Short mmCIF file of all heavy atoms in Angstrom, two decimals:
data_model
loop_
_atom_site.label_atom_id
_atom_site.label_comp_id
_atom_site.label_asym_id
_atom_site.label_seq_id
_atom_site.Cartn_x
_atom_site.Cartn_y
_atom_site.Cartn_z
N GLN A 198 -24.25 133.76 7.83
CA GLN A 198 -25.62 134.07 8.27
C GLN A 198 -25.93 133.36 9.58
O GLN A 198 -25.67 132.17 9.73
CB GLN A 198 -26.64 133.65 7.21
CG GLN A 198 -28.07 134.08 7.54
CD GLN A 198 -29.05 133.68 6.46
OE1 GLN A 198 -29.64 132.61 6.48
NE2 GLN A 198 -29.24 134.56 5.50
N ASN A 199 -26.48 134.10 10.54
CA ASN A 199 -26.90 133.50 11.79
C ASN A 199 -28.03 132.50 11.52
O ASN A 199 -28.92 132.78 10.71
CB ASN A 199 -27.38 134.60 12.75
CG ASN A 199 -27.67 134.08 14.14
OD1 ASN A 199 -28.63 133.34 14.36
ND2 ASN A 199 -26.86 134.48 15.09
N PRO A 200 -28.02 131.33 12.15
CA PRO A 200 -29.08 130.35 11.87
C PRO A 200 -30.48 130.84 12.18
O PRO A 200 -31.46 130.28 11.67
CB PRO A 200 -28.69 129.15 12.75
CG PRO A 200 -27.74 129.68 13.76
CD PRO A 200 -27.03 130.82 13.10
N ALA A 201 -30.60 131.88 13.01
CA ALA A 201 -31.94 132.39 13.37
C ALA A 201 -32.46 133.42 12.38
O ALA A 201 -33.61 133.87 12.51
CB ALA A 201 -31.89 133.00 14.77
N THR A 202 -31.66 133.81 11.38
CA THR A 202 -32.04 134.91 10.49
C THR A 202 -33.39 134.67 9.83
O THR A 202 -34.28 135.53 9.85
CB THR A 202 -30.96 135.10 9.40
OG1 THR A 202 -29.72 135.45 10.02
CG2 THR A 202 -31.36 136.20 8.42
N ARG A 203 -33.57 133.51 9.24
CA ARG A 203 -34.80 133.24 8.48
C ARG A 203 -36.01 133.14 9.40
O ARG A 203 -37.11 133.57 9.04
CB ARG A 203 -34.63 131.97 7.65
CG ARG A 203 -33.61 132.11 6.52
CD ARG A 203 -33.44 130.80 5.77
NE ARG A 203 -32.51 130.93 4.67
CZ ARG A 203 -32.83 131.34 3.44
NH1 ARG A 203 -34.09 131.64 3.18
NH2 ARG A 203 -31.93 131.44 2.49
N THR A 204 -35.81 132.57 10.58
CA THR A 204 -36.93 132.44 11.52
C THR A 204 -37.38 133.81 12.01
O THR A 204 -38.59 134.09 12.09
CB THR A 204 -36.52 131.55 12.71
OG1 THR A 204 -36.24 130.23 12.22
CG2 THR A 204 -37.63 131.49 13.75
N PHE A 205 -36.44 134.68 12.37
CA PHE A 205 -36.81 136.01 12.82
C PHE A 205 -37.51 136.78 11.70
O PHE A 205 -38.50 137.48 11.95
CB PHE A 205 -35.56 136.77 13.30
CG PHE A 205 -35.26 136.57 14.76
CD1 PHE A 205 -34.88 135.33 15.24
CD2 PHE A 205 -35.37 137.62 15.67
CE1 PHE A 205 -34.60 135.13 16.59
CE2 PHE A 205 -35.11 137.44 17.01
CZ PHE A 205 -34.72 136.20 17.49
N GLN A 206 -37.00 136.68 10.48
CA GLN A 206 -37.66 137.34 9.35
C GLN A 206 -39.09 136.85 9.19
O GLN A 206 -40.03 137.64 9.03
CB GLN A 206 -36.89 137.07 8.05
CG GLN A 206 -37.63 137.56 6.80
CD GLN A 206 -36.94 137.14 5.51
OE1 GLN A 206 -35.82 137.57 5.25
NE2 GLN A 206 -37.59 136.30 4.71
N ALA A 207 -39.27 135.53 9.26
CA ALA A 207 -40.59 134.95 9.05
C ALA A 207 -41.59 135.42 10.10
O ALA A 207 -42.72 135.80 9.78
CB ALA A 207 -40.49 133.43 9.06
N LEU A 208 -41.18 135.40 11.35
CA LEU A 208 -42.09 135.78 12.43
C LEU A 208 -42.44 137.26 12.36
O LEU A 208 -43.58 137.66 12.61
CB LEU A 208 -41.48 135.42 13.78
CG LEU A 208 -41.35 133.90 14.04
CD1 LEU A 208 -40.55 133.64 15.30
CD2 LEU A 208 -42.73 133.25 14.14
N ARG A 209 -41.46 138.10 11.99
CA ARG A 209 -41.74 139.53 11.86
C ARG A 209 -42.73 139.80 10.71
O ARG A 209 -43.69 140.56 10.87
CB ARG A 209 -40.43 140.29 11.58
CG ARG A 209 -40.56 141.80 11.64
CD ARG A 209 -39.49 142.48 10.81
NE ARG A 209 -39.81 142.45 9.40
CZ ARG A 209 -38.94 142.12 8.44
NH1 ARG A 209 -37.70 141.77 8.73
NH2 ARG A 209 -39.32 142.14 7.17
N ILE A 210 -42.51 139.15 9.57
CA ILE A 210 -43.41 139.34 8.43
C ILE A 210 -44.82 138.88 8.79
O ILE A 210 -45.80 139.56 8.49
CB ILE A 210 -42.87 138.56 7.21
CG1 ILE A 210 -41.60 139.23 6.67
CG2 ILE A 210 -43.93 138.49 6.11
CD1 ILE A 210 -40.91 138.42 5.59
N PHE A 211 -44.91 137.74 9.46
CA PHE A 211 -46.22 137.18 9.80
C PHE A 211 -46.95 138.05 10.81
O PHE A 211 -48.13 138.39 10.62
CB PHE A 211 -46.05 135.77 10.35
CG PHE A 211 -47.30 135.23 10.97
CD1 PHE A 211 -48.36 134.81 10.19
CD2 PHE A 211 -47.43 135.15 12.36
CE1 PHE A 211 -49.53 134.32 10.77
CE2 PHE A 211 -48.58 134.66 12.95
CZ PHE A 211 -49.64 134.25 12.15
N ILE A 212 -46.28 138.42 11.90
CA ILE A 212 -46.98 139.11 12.98
C ILE A 212 -47.45 140.49 12.54
O ILE A 212 -48.43 141.02 13.07
CB ILE A 212 -46.08 139.20 14.24
CG1 ILE A 212 -46.94 139.12 15.51
CG2 ILE A 212 -45.22 140.46 14.23
CD1 ILE A 212 -47.56 137.78 15.76
N ASN A 213 -46.79 141.07 11.53
CA ASN A 213 -47.19 142.38 11.01
C ASN A 213 -47.99 142.30 9.71
O ASN A 213 -48.32 143.35 9.14
CB ASN A 213 -45.94 143.24 10.79
CG ASN A 213 -45.25 143.60 12.09
OD1 ASN A 213 -45.76 144.37 12.88
ND2 ASN A 213 -44.07 143.00 12.32
N ALA A 214 -48.28 141.08 9.24
CA ALA A 214 -49.01 140.88 7.98
C ALA A 214 -48.41 141.71 6.86
O ALA A 214 -49.11 142.35 6.08
CB ALA A 214 -50.50 141.22 8.17
N GLU A 215 -47.07 141.68 6.77
CA GLU A 215 -46.37 142.58 5.86
C GLU A 215 -46.67 142.31 4.39
O GLU A 215 -46.86 143.24 3.61
CB GLU A 215 -44.86 142.50 6.10
CG GLU A 215 -44.43 143.07 7.44
CD GLU A 215 -42.94 142.95 7.68
OE1 GLU A 215 -42.18 142.86 6.70
OE2 GLU A 215 -42.53 142.93 8.85
N LEU A 216 -46.71 141.06 3.98
CA LEU A 216 -46.92 140.77 2.56
C LEU A 216 -48.35 141.07 2.15
O LEU A 216 -48.60 141.56 1.04
CB LEU A 216 -46.54 139.33 2.26
CG LEU A 216 -45.09 138.94 2.56
CD1 LEU A 216 -44.80 137.53 2.06
CD2 LEU A 216 -44.11 139.94 1.97
N GLU A 217 -49.29 140.78 3.03
CA GLU A 217 -50.69 141.10 2.73
C GLU A 217 -50.88 142.61 2.62
O GLU A 217 -51.58 143.10 1.72
CB GLU A 217 -51.60 140.54 3.82
CG GLU A 217 -51.65 139.02 3.89
CD GLU A 217 -50.52 138.41 4.71
OE1 GLU A 217 -49.60 139.14 5.14
OE2 GLU A 217 -50.54 137.18 4.90
N GLU A 218 -50.24 143.35 3.52
CA GLU A 218 -50.37 144.80 3.48
C GLU A 218 -49.72 145.37 2.22
O GLU A 218 -50.24 146.31 1.61
CB GLU A 218 -49.78 145.45 4.72
CG GLU A 218 -49.95 146.96 4.73
CD GLU A 218 -49.81 147.58 6.10
OE1 GLU A 218 -49.00 147.09 6.90
OE2 GLU A 218 -50.53 148.57 6.36
N LEU A 219 -48.58 144.80 1.82
CA LEU A 219 -47.92 145.25 0.60
C LEU A 219 -48.85 145.06 -0.60
O LEU A 219 -48.99 145.95 -1.44
CB LEU A 219 -46.62 144.48 0.40
CG LEU A 219 -45.92 144.67 -0.95
CD1 LEU A 219 -45.56 146.13 -1.19
CD2 LEU A 219 -44.67 143.79 -1.03
#
Side-chain angles (χ1 to χ4, degrees):
Q198 186 178 90
N199 187 290
T202 298
R203 292 178 178 273
T204 297
F205 271 67
Q206 171 187 296
L208 292 171
R209 189 205 78 226
I210 290 172
F211 169 75
I212 213 69
N213 293 290
E215 292 179 24
L216 300 187
E217 294 84 353
E218 182 160 35
L219 171 59

